[in-house]
Amino acid sequence: MNGALASRGRALVVAWPGRQARWRAFELSGRALTEWRALPGECAGVELDTDHRLWIADPAFARVRCVNLFGNELCTLRARASAPRDGLGTLADPRGLCCAGDGDPLRLWLVQGGLRRGAVQLFDESGRARLRLRSLGDAREPFRNARRVRAAGRYVWVLETLARRVQVFRDGDFHFAFQVRERGEPQPLSAIALYEDGSGVVCTDGAAPGLLRIGRSGNVREALSAPVEGACDMALLDGVDPSSARVALLDREGLRVRAFDAAGVCQGEIEELAG
């Protein structure tokens, strides 16, 4: 993946690896709020919390960094010395993260790449792991290259690129998994967005990439009329209500952001992100 998105309130953050990992904050109107800020490491995923702190998954150094919108580092989460190689407390190859609701204290869902049983865990601000999800409901089953996690309401979605599927969890327990199939073959997926009612949007990455509305049971409800070119990530704007939220899509290998309404109509875009 060549970029990542995060949104909270009226702010949208775009992370762009390029030759040097960087990020920049924008208003939802597209006006830049900050300059590009350099990152001493990689940026595989980002999240904004309710205090507009930016959390950054850095697989190069096996850490999660937290900075404010001025770029000042606030804290860093790493695996504890006693953490297992693959279990509760593992923090290796972090790839994506999201806030678990808007409560206090803060909790972060974190996904880690590779074949790991402990790939999806819930961490607090101190870096302590609170729980881990069980792939397919089986404590022995690994997640297969988890790349994105999204949480809303009672639901958590986990995107696995090797399995070409999304696992759905409700109240912390495995609910079901789904794939998007074309002519019987599962399609690669590059991004996901989740609404509070358990429905969502996925971006396929096959021969004809596109945005698809997904129902609460994992069925494809409709294709949104949005051409996609090298999609990297998605984020919801204006909340997680499916009737009013917009979808922000980062594509062109991290060089363009567009916002779409529930019908798939483009509401605006930010281009030339590389600057």
Side-chain angles (χ1 to χ4, degrees):
M1 295 182 180
N2 292 316
L5 284 181
S7 178
R8 180 76 58 174
R10 301 296 300 172
L12 175 71
V13 168
V14 182
W16 183 71
R19 295 179 180 177
Q20 181 182 32
R22 298 185 294 165
W23 64 268
R24 193 175 194 181
F26 297 84
E27 285 187 342
L28 297 191
S29 64
R31 184 178 71 88
L33 294 173
T34 68
E35 299 297 324
W36 284 105
R37 303 196 185 281
L39 294 171
E42 293 184 11
C43 178
V46 292
E47 173 68 318
L48 275 173
D49 65 20
T50 54
D51 294 323
H52 285 80
R53 296 175 297 180
L54 182 64
W55 297 83
I56 302 163
D58 181 358
F61 294 94
R63 64 185 179 182
V64 174
R65 300 173 58 230
C66 178
V67 301
N68 61 24
L69 292 184
F70 298 101
N72 300 319
E73 187 155 342
L74 303 176
C75 65
T76 300
L77 308 186
R78 298 180 186 272
R80 298 175 184 267
S82 59
R85 293 175 59 87
D86 185 8
L88 188 65
T90 299
L91 204 168
D93 196 24
R95 293 289 170 175
L97 68 171
C98 71
C99 290
D102 295 326
D104 185 21
L106 177 72
R107 296 287 187 268
L108 289 169
W109 286 110
L110 178 69
V111 295
Q112 302 167 64
L115 298 178
R116 299 181 189 277
R117 291 170 298 171
V120 188
Q121 301 192 41
L122 185 67
F123 287 86
D124 62 22
E125 289 187 66
S126 71
R128 179 181 177 184
R130 296 291 180 168
L131 63 91
R132 70 180 178 94
L133 298 180
R134 296 182 175 186
S135 178
L136 303 178
D138 185 344
R140 300 165 297 178
E141 177 71 22
F143 287 90
R144 302 181 182 276
N145 214 33
R147 278 295 185 268
R148 287 289 181 260
V149 59
R150 295 289 183 259
R154 302 170 62 189
Y155 298 91
V156 176
W157 278 17
V158 178
L159 169 62
E160 300 170 277
T161 57
L162 282 182
R164 296 188 174 186
R165 70 186 173 201
V166 174
Q167 292 199 41
V168 178
F169 297 83
R170 186 174 64 183
D171 299 329
D173 294 323
F174 176 74
H175 192 31
F176 65 90
F178 69 87
Q179 295 175 313
V180 175
R181 292 181 173 268
E182 184 176 331
R183 298 178 182 176
E185 293 296 324
Q187 297 300 295
L189 304 174
S190 57
I192 55 175
L194 175 60
Y195 297 115
E196 189 173 24
D197 68 353
S199 65
V201 180
V202 300
C203 185
T204 61
D205 197 26
L211 297 178
L212 302 174
R213 283 291 304 273
I214 303 296
R216 294 177 57 184
S217 62
N219 59 303
V220 177
R221 293 176 53 184
E222 62 180 323
L224 302 181
S225 56
V228 176
E229 305 172 23
C232 304
D233 204 3
M234 285 194 291
L236 291 180
L237 311 177
D238 311 313
V240 290
D241 184 340
S243 65
S244 57
R246 294 179 294 161
V247 175
L249 174 68
L250 177 65
D251 71 348
R252 289 185 177 171
E253 303 299 332
L255 299 181
R256 176 178 67 174
V257 173
R258 290 175 294 166
F260 299 93
D261 64 15
V265 178
C266 183
Q267 302 292 303
E269 64 182 76
I270 306 172
E271 292 188 288
E272 304 293 339
L273 285 176

